[in-house]
Amino acid sequence: MKYITTVNGTEFNVEILDDKHIRINDKLLDVDFESVSGQPVFSLIIGGKSYEAYVSPDGDNWEVLLHGRLYQAEVEDERERRLHGAGGVSANENGEFHLKAPMPGLVVATPVSEGQSVQKGQVLIILESMKMQNELKAPRDGIVSRIRIKSGETVEQKQTLLSLL
Amino acid sequence: MKYITTVNGTEFNVEILDDKHIRINDKLLDVDFESVSGQPVFSLIIGGKSYEAYVSPDGDNWEVLLHGRLYQAEVEDERERRLHGAGGVSANENGEFHLKAPMPGLVVATPVSEGQSVQKGQVLIILESMKMQNELKAPRDGIVSRIRIKSGETVEQKQTLLSLL
Amino acid sequence: MFKKVLVANRGEIAVRIIRACRELGLETVAVYSEADRLALHVRLADEAYLLGPAPSRESYLRADKIIEIAKKSGADALHPGYGFLAEREDFAQTCLNEGLAFIGPKPSSIAAMGDKMTARETVRKAGVPVVPGTEDVGNMSDENLLSIAPKIGFPLLVKATAGGGGKGMREVHSLDEMPELLKSARREAESAFGDGNVYLEKLVEGARHIEIQILADGHGNVIHLNERDCSIQRRHQKLVEEAPSPFLDDELRQRMGEVAVKAAKAVDYVNAGTIEFLVDKDKNFFFLEMNTRLQVEHPITEMITGVDIVKEQIRVARGRPLQYKQEDIKINGAAIECRINAEDPYNGFMPSTGKITHSLLPTGPGIRVDTGVYPGFEITPFYDPMISKLIVWGETRAQAILRMRRALEEYRIVGVRTNIPFHQTLMDSHRFMGGQYDTRFVEERFAIHDDNDPAIAEIAAALATLAAHQQTQRAAQFVQRNERDTSNWKWVGRWERMHR
Amino acid sequence: MFKKVLVANRGEIAVRIIRACRELGLETVAVYSEADRLALHVRLADEAYLLGPAPSRESYLRADKIIEIAKKSGADALHPGYGFLAEREDFAQTCLNEGLAFIGPKPSSIAAMGDKMTARETVRKAGVPVVPGTEDVGNMSDENLLSIAPKIGFPLLVKATAGGGGKGMREVHSLDEMPELLKSARREAESAFGDGNVYLEKLVEGARHIEIQILADGHGNVIHLNERDCSIQRRHQKLVEEAPSPFLDDELRQRMGEVAVKAAKAVDYVNAGTIEFLVDKDKNFFFLEMNTRLQVEHPITEMITGVDIVKEQIRVARGRPLQYKQEDIKINGAAIECRINAEDPYNGFMPSTGKITHSLLPTGPGIRVDTGVYPGFEITPFYDPMISKLIVWGETRAQAILRMRRALEEYRIVGVRTNIPFHQTLMDSHRFMGGQYDTRFVEERFAIHDDNDPAIAEIAAALATLAAHQQTQRAAQFVQRNERDTSNWKWVGRWERMHR
């Protein structure tokens, strides 16, 4: 199975030959890849080197936390890649943005109102969790299309709080 | 639900009233009984006291390891008890005894042979595991009716090694 | 001489106190909220009583219920830990009125140091240097503060009068932005302490936050256990502490210790406490505040002095004289603490909640982990994000840093995100290694690195590809099943089954 | 100066060595058997290479493969740990021949001390008192031994010439039983060391097993780090060690230390080693043997002296002089180690295997846990049953015992049985508290208690009933399902799902 994996902007051609061998670009390597305790923590012995990392899906990508550094990896299989064509700016970039609660908490304030224009970085909602007040900011310029919560309300993780057009 | 529970020879009448209340003999107690991390380890808060114990089935009985002490408990529900009548020496005491491997290991020696009379405490098999040689002894007097393994053989846990009549 | 101690706290500090009590042969009573039924402090205590629902205000801040439980359980002493009710003089007074030994200072000392403006005045009169700032005592209106601000000069800090831990604190760079910042500081202070009053203090730039640990008994003995350097902060929250400070020399250490003892004596202090100072580039030091309680970072002092501060607190509260004299206190080696928080360092340090599904603690020589969590425990949004303290000792500071690096590399926590990568980056930074940092270092001159070692990026690519490949292979096997319900536990369950 | 160390071992000691290397900035190479792919030492090392199938003879004892891996990986040093190849002079010699620094003594010292009979002669000639026993050197036949035995007198011990760790050791009370015991001792020695030779030694009754830790460098400096009391044994296996020994006074401590240094010098010793003595009731002491390697129980010495023995081993192997002189070594407080074994103390200490499904380590001040296992790891029958070492330090021996009690009470290991209840009983025993024990104490005067506190029996009854009730309720819910397949993982999986 052939994959094209992009990490921090660099592409790697990774071919899974069998359970114990992969090819990265031109290098053929012995691998031994095992999950630890059934967790999303993996032990990889590759060409004799021993690594351990947290590896978990993050939307369409994969996150790899290795040696205290976080790597975002996009893994496409070769067919998929051919279908999509080269490049690959993901769609949906200009659609509505839904601000979701990154954690459960208490809405302390919503300093914006529906219909208001906001700028990237502007505070949209203040959410209290773990005794800290966290400012949730606009990821881009836009117009507040809908506010779905009120101050004083308790929200669940991933609950949509507010939408931007 | 009413139970008669025997611990180290002492009988306790235990009635489960609801999720949060039990009666032991004449005492009505608040209880809060929770498994820790989905393990056979339980946290019990009873009348304000906090206990934590390993509780696991052991054949027909229960083992409770609490404060570094092991308790063997027999739990019978009242109906069951009535059916069995009082007392309760378990049957099968004079049947054939099957010596099972207490752990996986390597059979080092079988110092007895089929048809031989053995005495309680006599070594039947020497099993090596974890670098230690463990002597498996006869639990009672008897005659070796069958030896099911050979020296040098590797055995699984609970595999029957030898039978006594 | 009391025999049964109620621990009016949760988390790692409740566990720490229960351990000290147990090692002294004292019985312990835990209190807990509905979210904490299976918290470690409940599991380890001899007795445990429910306080109420999860929010602190309905549980750990319920002084009335705590006193009621103390009486019901027959506790004859109370340890407040830090946070929650630890610095409420009225609570300390109620304990005494109810015949409970309060393992902490006298209510009058808490009061004198608790109002930060009063405290400044008290120690200033005792000859302790203070940071320039508002000098009046009493509640001040926004108008009042806005008029005083230019006299102090910018940048300055708005600080909560009842404050601590960076809550209700705001940095102000100009008069223009001040009204808005006053508002948010008061709001946060009100929510954290039930008291929205604030005061102003000059922002000492390039300063280090260095604090002195005090121990005092009821027989007039006051000693200090040297300093802790707590300058590694983010949003005024301490993240890393070390002892001794690489910035101090023996002469300054001794002077600061003496001044700290003086400040403690000024409020007739008994039990453990901490005098916080700012030390500027020229090694001038200014009193900041006194924490009239056990401090989060007390273990690093324990590591370098060999003194068990919690046990000593208990002994002092039992009326005993201190076991140590000033000359017994020696510094042995160096210790560092990293606060491990459930927060995502790659996403603005946003708190992270969830169930811890797995953990692996670093262990071995010179390592201590103080924690209140374990695999299977749920991190809720109700309390502080600190889930553990990783403390290391080394013969030298360099050895302590190397040890901390290896401990951080070993530490695994699965189920919530943690700031461990932040600490790893910090321990690798040349400025930290060189001891060259101040309280603004993390925010101004530090970034969690995204430097890209190509060899490691290649390994990351291999890992991601292997994991994705494995997932694809498995998805193929599961395709017939009804996969609609992918709620978390099922996923975890499936994961586990797949990996057995 | 070497840079990459191959650790020719597994389990907690491999982890311990890897940590020391990492803290010294050295790269590490792990080797592992098929059973140990996910062992902690493999996870923590920089590199890892498979040796072969699980049995030691096909993996950790494969000197040839280990040397091959060292060369392939570019390792320039090797640490043997304890056990396996640690005391094979031919292996040490091969390392040197292949240009690998051997982190341990010279092959000639291993040889001189490895043959226990030669060792006795060597130290006796250097003026060190030895236990009376066979005095000839060389392999002795059963006939020979049977004729010498009455001259030594009964009871006596049959010991393996190549021995250590109680393997191949038998106690003989009469000439009658001796032939049978010689046979089994030789069989065990052959299996453990590949050498069935044995010798005889008088059994010193009421003796304590007290050993002196030695450190020596290549520059002629030899120091001792005081003693460890290892008298708590069962079947000649150490279970608990403490330092200092409650039995020794300063004068005897100093004398034994000096004699130990003398014994080490007699074999031109370099690196860390341990001189084991028996000390009788009248405080006469006799040389027993020298362990020419790192000892399992080295951490208690580290706790009371502050010396990191493994790091010092590495420094010495790099040709550096010792960091310490004899006068730098002070005893600070007291330390105890409990060996946590996967064995059932309620069933004749039978080894227990299985997967660890959950664990909770005791942590906090003064606690150190050295372990190579973690939740999810499988304890196999192939290796030693020791899964962790729980080490505590206290300001006094009494405080160390109290701390050990609370640590044992906190420690949870689920999935295998452990001897923790044995240690709890021991720490509660008055004789242990009083320091009154000898090497026969556990076997002759100690029973794991079945004393029955009625209040606690009642709690046990409540726990068993509640668990049984819960199981019954749940069984009712599962009754429709096909419950035939109850293989272990399914049961665990179901258990977990039920408890979420």
Side-chain angles (χ1 to χ4, degrees):
Chain A
M1 195 85 165
K2 288 184 180 180
Y3 295 90
I4 295 146
T5 298
T6 311
V7 175
N8 298 5
T10 306
E11 275 191 10
F12 297 89
N13 291 296
V14 184
E15 185 177 2
I16 314 275
L17 300 167
D18 59 40
D19 262 12
K20 296 286 175 194
H21 299 89
I22 69 172
R23 196 192 310 275
I24 305 186
N25 296 337
D26 291 334
K27 267 180 300 187
L28 178 67
L29 291 161
D30 291 348
V31 294
D32 188 344
F33 179 71
E34 294 281 345
S35 146
V36 174
S37 307
Q39 298 292 325
V41 171
F42 292 87
S43 169
L44 172 66
I45 300 180
I46 181 165
K49 307 271 180 212
S50 176
Y51 297 95
E52 194 165 298
Y54 298 80
V55 185
S56 51
D58 172 39
D60 289 339
N61 290 345
W62 290 81
E63 281 191 356
V64 179
L65 183 61
L66 172 63
H67 288 188
R69 285 155 171 90
L70 187 73
Y71 298 87
Q72 303 280 354
E74 191 188 359
V75 182
E76 288 176 291
D77 80 33
E78 219 185 24
R79 274 176 318 172
E80 208 179 301
R81 173 65 166 266
R82 257 185 269 117
L83 287 172
H84 285 187
V89 176
S90 74
N92 207 21
E93 195 118 278
N94 296 308
E96 198 168 23
F97 165 76
H98 301 289
L99 177 67
K100 293 185 174 166
M103 66 253 166
L106 177 80
V107 176
V108 175
T110 51
V112 295
S113 47
E114 289 186 4
Q116 185 181 333
S117 289
V118 294
Q119 292 182 324
K120 180 176 172 178
Q122 192 171 338
V123 176
L124 302 176
I125 282 175
I126 299 170
L127 188 64
E128 185 176 303
S129 187
M130 290 180 169
K131 294 167 62 192
M132 295 290 289
Q133 300 201 347
N134 303 283
E135 298 181 333
L136 307 184
K137 295 174 181 171
R140 57 167 171 82
D141 296 355
I143 294 162
V144 177
S145 54
R146 185 146 173 225
I147 298 179
R148 292 157 195 261
I149 41 75
K150 288 196 296 284
S151 293
E153 208 172 295
T154 305
V155 297
E156 299 292 313
Q157 187 168 14
K158 298 204 174 142
Q159 185 176 332
T160 300
L161 307 176
L162 178 150
S163 303
L164 273 192
L165 257 180
Chain B
M1 194 85 164
K2 289 183 180 178
Y3 295 89
I4 295 147
T5 298
T6 311
V7 175
N8 298 6
T10 307
E11 275 191 10
F12 297 90
N13 290 296
V14 185
E15 187 177 1
I16 314 276
L17 301 167
D18 60 38
D19 261 11
K20 295 286 174 193
H21 299 89
I22 68 171
R23 196 193 309 276
I24 304 187
N25 296 339
D26 292 334
K27 268 180 300 188
L28 179 67
L29 291 160
D30 292 347
V31 293
D32 188 343
F33 179 72
E34 295 280 347
S35 145
V36 173
S37 306
Q39 297 293 324
V41 171
F42 292 88
S43 168
L44 172 67
I45 300 179
I46 181 164
K49 307 271 182 216
S50 176
Y51 297 95
E52 194 165 299
Y54 298 79
V55 185
S56 52
D58 172 39
D60 290 340
N61 291 344
W62 289 81
E63 280 192 356
V64 178
L65 182 61
L66 172 63
H67 287 189
R69 284 155 172 89
L70 186 74
Y71 298 88
Q72 303 280 354
E74 190 187 0
V75 182
E76 289 176 290
D77 81 30
E78 218 184 26
R79 274 175 318 169
E80 206 180 304
R81 174 64 165 262
R82 256 185 269 117
L83 287 174
H84 286 187
V89 175
S90 75
N92 204 23
E93 195 119 282
N94 295 310
E96 196 168 25
F97 166 76
H98 300 289
L99 176 67
K100 292 185 175 164
M103 66 252 166
L106 177 79
V107 177
V108 175
T110 52
V112 295
S113 47
E114 287 185 6
Q116 184 180 336
S117 289
V118 295
Q119 291 183 326
K120 181 176 171 179
Q122 189 170 339
V123 176
L124 303 176
I125 282 173
I126 299 170
L127 189 64
E128 184 177 305
S129 188
M130 289 178 167
K131 294 166 63 191
M132 296 289 289
Q133 300 201 347
N134 303 283
E135 298 182 333
L136 308 183
K137 296 174 181 169
R140 58 167 171 83
D141 296 354
I143 293 162
V144 178
S145 55
R146 186 148 169 222
I147 299 179
R148 291 156 196 264
I149 41 75
K150 288 196 297 284
S151 293
E153 209 173 296
T154 305
V155 297
E156 299 293 310
Q157 188 167 15
K158 294 199 176 146
Q159 184 176 334
T160 300
L161 308 176
L162 176 151
S163 304
L164 272 193
L165 257 182
Chain C
M1 292 276 277
F2 52 80
K3 293 209 161 61
K4 191 188 275 192
V5 179
L6 185 145
V7 181
N9 217 302
R10 67 178 299 284
E12 66 86 19
I13 200 65
V15 170
R16 168 75 183 92
I17 296 162
I18 288 168
R19 285 171 170 163
C21 290
R22 179 147 295 171
E23 292 176 11
L24 290 169
L26 297 169
E27 287 182 89
T28 52
V29 180
V31 290
Y32 63 98
S33 76
E34 283 167 7
D36 278 343
R37 165 63 184 89
L38 288 173
L40 206 49
H41 72 289
V42 177
R43 295 173 57 192
L44 296 183
D46 296 308
E47 300 180 35
Y49 298 90
L50 182 66
L51 281 169
S56 303
R57 240 157 292 176
E58 301 174 58
S59 52
Y60 298 103
L61 290 171
R62 284 288 301 272
D64 55 336
K65 278 213 108 175
I66 290 171
I67 298 286
E68 186 191 313
I69 289 166
K71 295 171 95 171
K72 178 164 75 178
S73 65
D76 43 9
L78 182 144
H79 197 306
Y82 54 69
F84 297 127
L85 300 167
E87 290 177 283
R88 299 261 178 101
E89 76 265 23
D90 52 347
F91 180 67
Q93 188 59 57
T94 308
C95 287
L96 301 183
N97 297 346
E98 299 287 347
L100 283 170
F102 183 80
I103 302 174
K106 287 177 269 195
S108 59
S109 309
I110 300 177
M113 288 297 189
D115 184 283
K116 302 303 172 191
M117 282 162 70
T118 312
R120 283 166 55 85
E121 281 311 295
T122 309
V123 303
R124 200 164 61 91
K125 281 179 194 144
V128 175
V130 301
V131 183
T134 34
E135 292 188 8
D136 292 330
V137 173
N139 302 338
M140 298 176 84
S141 66
D142 281 11
E143 292 70 27
N144 216 333
L145 293 168
L146 288 164
S147 75
I148 292 167
K151 290 173 213 157
I152 296 169
F154 296 96
L156 56 73
L157 284 174
V158 176
K159 296 176 82 172
T161 305
K167 273 152 206 111
M169 194 185 292
R170 290 293 181 279
E171 202 177 303
V172 187
H173 289 266
S174 72
L175 199 57
D176 286 357
E177 62 178 9
M178 196 163 150
E180 191 55 42
L181 291 166
L182 278 173
K183 200 156 89 187
S184 70
R186 286 190 193 275
R187 187 180 62 218
E188 199 170 278
E190 177 69 42
S191 140
F193 313 112
D195 176 351
N197 285 305
V198 296
Y199 66 105
L200 307 180
E201 206 175 73
K202 177 133 190 65
L203 180 69
V204 181
E205 293 185 272
R208 296 179 80 114
H209 175 118
I210 295 176
E211 61 188 28
I212 305 283
Q213 175 70 52
I214 292 290
L215 277 180
D217 64 22
H219 305 271
N221 303 304
V222 185
I223 65 170
H224 70 86
L225 304 185
N226 297 301
E227 82 282 6
R228 294 184 285 259
D229 196 323
C230 312
S231 306
I232 298 293
Q233 305 184 348
R234 196 188 146 272
R235 291 172 73 182
H236 305 289
Q237 300 281 341
K238 296 170 187 168
L239 285 168
V240 174
E241 299 95 350
E242 62 174 317
S245 169
F247 188 64
L248 259 55
D249 52 41
D250 280 342
E251 185 273 328
L252 182 55
R253 174 170 296 126
Q254 197 187 325
R255 266 203 301 138
M256 288 179 68
E258 282 164 8
V259 165
V261 167
K262 200 189 283 179
K265 285 184 171 167
V267 294
D268 201 12
Y269 201 80
V270 172
N271 215 290
T274 298
I275 315 279
E276 297 191 334
F277 293 101
L278 282 182
V279 184
D280 73 14
K281 279 171 279 201
D282 306 317
K283 308 211 170 176
N284 300 305
F285 61 91
F286 306 98
F287 171 86
L288 208 54
E289 63 180 59
M290 179 170 193
N291 294 321
T292 57
R293 51 158 169 90
L294 185 63
Q295 199 92 333
V296 174
E297 58 272 22
H298 74 276
I300 54 173
T301 301
E302 296 184 323
M303 298 288 259
I304 61 161
T305 61
V307 176
D308 188 317
I309 293 173
V310 180
K311 285 187 185 169
E312 207 59 17
Q313 283 194 297
I314 294 169
R315 288 197 193 98
V316 164
R318 295 180 111 182
R320 304 233 183 102
L322 288 176
Q323 285 202 104
Y324 309 89
K325 300 200 184 310
Q326 190 63 57
E327 59 267 29
D328 299 332
I329 305 302
K330 304 265 179 285
I331 297 179
N332 175 27
I336 305 175
E337 170 179 281
C338 288
R339 298 191 186 193
I340 310 301
N341 293 343
E343 51 190 32
D344 185 352
Y346 294 103
N347 183 20
F349 291 86
M350 201 62 91
S352 174
T353 57
K355 182 182 276 193
I356 296 179
T357 56
H358 182 76
S359 82
L360 182 69
L361 299 184
T363 58
I367 303 263
R368 168 173 166 188
V369 182
D370 277 23
T371 181
V373 306
Y374 60 88
F377 189 70
E378 182 99 24
I379 307 300
T380 64
F382 301 108
Y383 315 109
D384 197 277
M386 193 180 74
I387 53 176
S388 100
K389 304 188 305 202
L390 173 57
I391 306 126
V392 305
W393 175 89
E395 283 186 84
T396 62
R397 182 172 186 267
Q399 290 196 30
I401 293 174
L402 286 163
R403 183 164 278 166
M404 182 60 91
R405 281 197 200 170
R406 79 100 177 139
L408 290 164
E409 180 65 28
E410 288 181 17
Y411 207 161
R412 301 269 173 276
I413 300 176
V414 188
V416 294
R417 304 226 166 190
T418 75
N419 63 353
I420 289 173
F422 163 83
H423 290 298
Q424 289 184 279
T425 311
L426 182 74
M427 293 296 140
D428 284 348
S429 84
H430 292 288
R431 296 192 69 123
F432 183 80
M433 282 191 260
Q436 295 169 315
Y437 57 83
D438 58 38
T439 57
R440 315 302 298 267
F441 172 64
V442 171
E443 278 161 290
E444 294 177 1
R445 272 156 288 143
F446 178 81
I448 183 147
H449 45 202
D450 44 7
D451 59 315
N452 199 347
D453 176 344
I456 297 295
E458 185 176 292
I459 299 302
L463 283 158
T465 312
L466 287 161
H469 180 69
Q470 196 175 72
Q471 195 191 48
T472 309
Q473 302 293 96
R474 289 209 169 110
Q477 294 166 21
F478 275 93
V479 84
Q480 293 98 326
R481 293 213 198 172
N482 177 357
E483 290 295 302
R484 301 235 56 172
D485 186 342
T486 48
S487 65
N488 189 50
W489 70 261
K490 292 216 175 165
W491 189 82
V492 171
R494 194 181 320 135
W495 182 276
E496 285 175 354
R497 270 172 279 137
M498 290 189 307
H499 287 81
R500 280 211 183 82
Chain D
M1 291 275 278
F2 52 79
K3 292 207 162 63
K4 191 187 276 193
V5 179
L6 185 146
V7 180
N9 216 302
R10 66 177 300 282
E12 66 86 20
I13 199 65
V15 170
R16 168 74 184 92
I17 296 162
I18 288 168
R19 285 170 170 163
C21 290
R22 179 148 293 172
E23 292 176 11
L24 290 171
L26 298 169
E27 287 182 90
T28 52
V29 179
V31 289
Y32 62 98
S33 76
E34 282 167 8
D36 278 343
R37 166 63 185 88
L38 289 172
L40 207 49
H41 72 288
V42 177
R43 295 174 56 193
L44 297 182
D46 296 310
E47 300 180 34
Y49 298 89
L50 182 65
L51 281 169
S56 304
R57 239 156 294 173
E58 301 174 57
S59 51
Y60 298 104
L61 290 171
R62 284 288 301 270
D64 56 335
K65 277 213 110 175
I66 291 171
I67 297 288
E68 184 192 315
I69 289 168
K71 294 170 95 171
K72 178 165 74 178
S73 66
D76 43 9
L78 181 144
H79 197 307
Y82 54 70
F84 297 127
L85 300 167
E87 291 176 282
R88 299 260 177 104
E89 76 266 24
D90 52 346
F91 180 66
Q93 188 59 56
T94 307
C95 288
L96 301 184
N97 295 348
E98 298 288 347
L100 284 170
F102 184 78
I103 302 174
K106 286 177 270 195
S108 59
S109 310
I110 301 177
M113 287 298 189
D115 184 283
K116 302 305 171 189
M117 281 161 71
T118 312
R120 284 166 54 87
E121 281 310 296
T122 309
V123 302
R124 200 164 62 91
K125 282 180 194 143
V128 175
V130 300
V131 183
T134 32
E135 291 188 10
D136 291 331
V137 172
N139 302 338
M140 298 175 85
S141 64
D142 281 12
E143 291 70 30
N144 216 330
L145 294 167
L146 287 165
S147 75
I148 292 168
K151 290 172 213 158
I152 295 168
F154 295 96
L156 56 75
L157 285 174
V158 175
K159 296 176 82 172
T161 305
K167 274 153 207 109
M169 194 186 291
R170 291 293 181 279
E171 204 177 302
V172 187
H173 289 267
S174 70
L175 199 57
D176 286 355
E177 62 179 9
M178 198 163 150
E180 190 55 42
L181 290 165
L182 277 174
K183 199 156 89 187
S184 69
R186 286 190 194 273
R187 188 179 60 218
E188 199 169 278
E190 176 68 42
S191 140
F193 313 110
D195 175 351
N197 285 306
V198 296
Y199 66 105
L200 306 181
E201 205 175 73
K202 175 136 192 64
L203 180 70
V204 182
E205 292 186 272
R208 297 179 78 115
H209 176 117
I210 294 177
E211 59 189 29
I212 304 284
Q213 175 70 52
I214 291 291
L215 277 179
D217 63 23
H219 306 271
N221 303 302
V222 185
I223 64 170
H224 70 86
L225 305 184
N226 297 302
E227 83 282 8
R228 295 184 286 258
D229 195 324
C230 312
S231 307
I232 298 292
Q233 306 184 347
R234 196 187 146 272
R235 291 172 75 180
H236 306 289
Q237 300 282 339
K238 296 170 187 169
L239 286 166
V240 174
E241 299 95 351
E242 62 173 316
S245 167
F247 187 66
L248 257 55
D249 52 39
D250 280 341
E251 186 271 329
L252 182 55
R253 173 170 298 124
Q254 198 188 324
R255 264 202 301 138
M256 287 178 70
E258 283 164 8
V259 165
V261 167
K262 199 189 284 179
K265 285 184 171 168
V267 294
D268 201 13
Y269 202 80
V270 172
N271 215 288
T274 297
I275 315 279
E276 298 192 334
F277 292 101
L278 281 183
V279 184
D280 73 13
K281 280 172 278 201
D282 306 317
K283 309 212 170 174
N284 300 305
F285 60 92
F286 306 97
F287 171 86
L288 208 52
E289 63 179 60
M290 180 169 193
N291 294 320
T292 56
R293 50 157 168 93
L294 185 62
Q295 199 92 334
V296 174
E297 57 271 24
H298 74 277
I300 55 173
T301 300
E302 296 184 323
M303 298 289 258
I304 62 161
T305 61
V307 175
D308 189 316
I309 294 173
V310 180
K311 285 187 185 169
E312 208 57 17
Q313 282 194 297
I314 294 170
R315 288 196 194 98
V316 165
R318 294 180 112 183
R320 302 232 185 103
L322 287 176
Q323 284 203 105
Y324 308 90
K325 299 199 183 312
Q326 189 63 56
E327 58 268 28
D328 299 331
I329 304 302
K330 303 264 178 287
I331 296 180
N332 175 28
I336 305 175
E337 169 178 283
C338 287
R339 299 191 185 193
I340 310 300
N341 293 343
E343 50 189 31
D344 186 351
Y346 295 103
N347 183 19
F349 291 86
M350 200 62 91
S352 174
T353 57
K355 182 183 273 192
I356 296 179
T357 56
H358 182 76
S359 81
L360 183 68
L361 300 184
T363 58
I367 302 263
R368 168 174 166 188
V369 182
D370 277 23
T371 181
V373 306
Y374 59 88
F377 189 70
E378 182 100 24
I379 307 300
T380 64
F382 301 106
Y383 315 109
D384 197 276
M386 192 180 76
I387 53 177
S388 101
K389 305 188 304 202
L390 173 56
I391 306 126
V392 305
W393 175 89
E395 285 186 83
T396 60
R397 181 171 187 267
Q399 290 197 30
I401 293 174
L402 286 162
R403 182 162 279 163
M404 182 59 91
R405 281 197 199 170
R406 78 99 178 139
L408 290 165
E409 180 64 29
E410 288 181 17
Y411 207 163
R412 302 267 172 280
I413 300 175
V414 188
V416 293
R417 306 226 163 188
T418 74
N419 62 352
I420 289 174
F422 163 83
H423 290 299
Q424 289 184 279
T425 312
L426 183 73
M427 292 296 140
D428 285 348
S429 84
H430 291 289
R431 295 192 69 122
F432 184 79
M433 283 191 260
Q436 295 169 315
Y437 57 83
D438 58 37
T439 55
R440 315 303 297 268
F441 172 64
V442 171
E443 279 162 289
E444 291 178 1
R445 274 156 287 144
F446 178 80
I448 184 147
H449 45 203
D450 43 7
D451 58 315
N452 199 346
D453 175 345
I456 297 295
E458 185 175 292
I459 299 301
L463 283 158
T465 312
L466 286 160
H469 180 71
Q470 199 176 72
Q471 194 192 48
T472 309
Q473 302 293 97
R474 290 206 169 112
Q477 295 166 23
F478 275 92
V479 85
Q480 292 98 329
R481 293 213 196 173
N482 176 358
E483 290 295 299
R484 302 235 54 173
D485 186 342
T486 48
S487 65
N488 189 49
W489 70 261
K490 293 215 173 167
W491 189 83
V492 171
R494 192 183 320 137
W495 182 276
E496 286 175 352
R497 269 171 277 138
M498 291 190 307
H499 287 84
R500 279 209 184 85

